Amino acid sequence: QKEVEQNSGPLSVPEGAIASLNCTYSDRVSQSFFWYRQYSGKSPELIMSIYSNGDKEDGRFTAQLNKASQYVSLLIRDSQPSDSATYLCAVNGPGGYNKLIFGAGTRLAVHP
Amino acid sequence: EPEVTQTPSHQVTQMGQEVILRCVPISNHLYFYWYRQILGQKVEFLVSFYNNEISEKSEIFDDQFSVERPDGSNFTLKIRSTKLEDSAMYFCAITIAGTANEKLFFGSGTQLSVL
């Protein structure tokens, strides 16, 4: 059974701080990794995708991938209260395209 | 980010009844998907659909489930005889033609409640 693991949180950070979210995955052949943000009662919203080892930056978000350690992370700089949500890590599953395996998510709370 | 419209937003049904959930994507999408999320649990893959046929399905997607694109636009998920454990948020998802694959965009979801 392919797994994606995340700390459920909540992760509480003050406004303006860096939030660090982590994810590990079990399938070594996974090639595509995604971070989604999900507000309560809403659908997942794609924030970042990363396919190669290293860092990828997009605005206040940085995704980091280490395939040797089977580890992917998301950094949110200058955290805002509006960033308060559940962050889902997703990894492509075995077989066809876009069969994503999701982690249970980490709840982030940014307090003023 | 593309808009994917799902109807209805909420559906309440009695156990054993049939339900049809609808998704209206933009016409140039290649792949269509259904995912579901039981309250407080992970988002789970159900089925992928390409070129008017199922390309992959999970073990959740048993004989009670079916998908089709009846008129070339709407993409539907049918549950023939609903069970209490089918209560969940159901998300339609798509990929965008011409972009890197595996970037899934989700619709707004249908909250299904089976009583």
Side-chain angles (χ1 to χ4, degrees), chain A residues 11-17 19 78-85 108-112:
Chain A
L11 173 66
S12 182
V13 300
E15 185 174 355
D78 189 25
S79 297
Q80 301 298 309
S82 58
D83 294 326
S84 298
L108 173 66
V110 181
H111 53 87

Side-chain angles (χ1 to χ4, degrees), chain A residues 1 3-5 32 34 36 38 41-46 49 51 56 88 92 94-100 102-104, chain B residues 1 31 33 35 37 40-45 48 56-59 89 91 95 100-109:
Chain A
Q1 181 75 5
E3 296 288 339
V4 176
E5 300 291 338
S32 306
F34 306 89
Y36 284 83
Q38 187 176 32
K42 302 297 185 183
S43 58
E45 173 191 6
L46 181 64
S49 59
Y51 307 97
K56 179 182 178 183
L88 309 177
N92 73 304
Y97 292 118
N98 300 320
K99 178 186 172 184
L100 296 185
F102 282 83
Chain B
E1 188 170 316
Y31 280 84
Y33 306 81
Y35 282 75
Q37 187 176 29
Q41 298 188 22
K42 298 180 180 183
V43 176
E44 301 174 290
F45 169 80
S48 60
E56 192 166 2
K57 59 184 180 179
S58 72
E59 59 273 14
M89 180 76 92
F91 296 110
T95 56
N101 60 42
E102 303 186 45
K103 283 190 178 180
L104 269 180
F105 297 95
F106 286 84
S108 53

Side-chain angles (χ1 to χ4, degrees), chain A residues 52-88:
Chain A
S52 305
N53 279 329
D55 294 0
K56 179 182 178 183
E57 187 174 319
D58 184 0
R60 295 187 296 114
F61 300 100
T62 299
Q64 299 173 317
L65 175 61
N66 183 327
K67 290 185 180 180
S69 300
Q70 296 176 239
Y71 176 91
V72 58
S73 65
L74 179 71
L75 300 178
I76 307 174
R77 288 181 299 281
D78 189 25
S79 297
Q80 301 298 309
S82 58
D83 294 326
S84 298
T86 297
Y87 289 80
L88 309 177

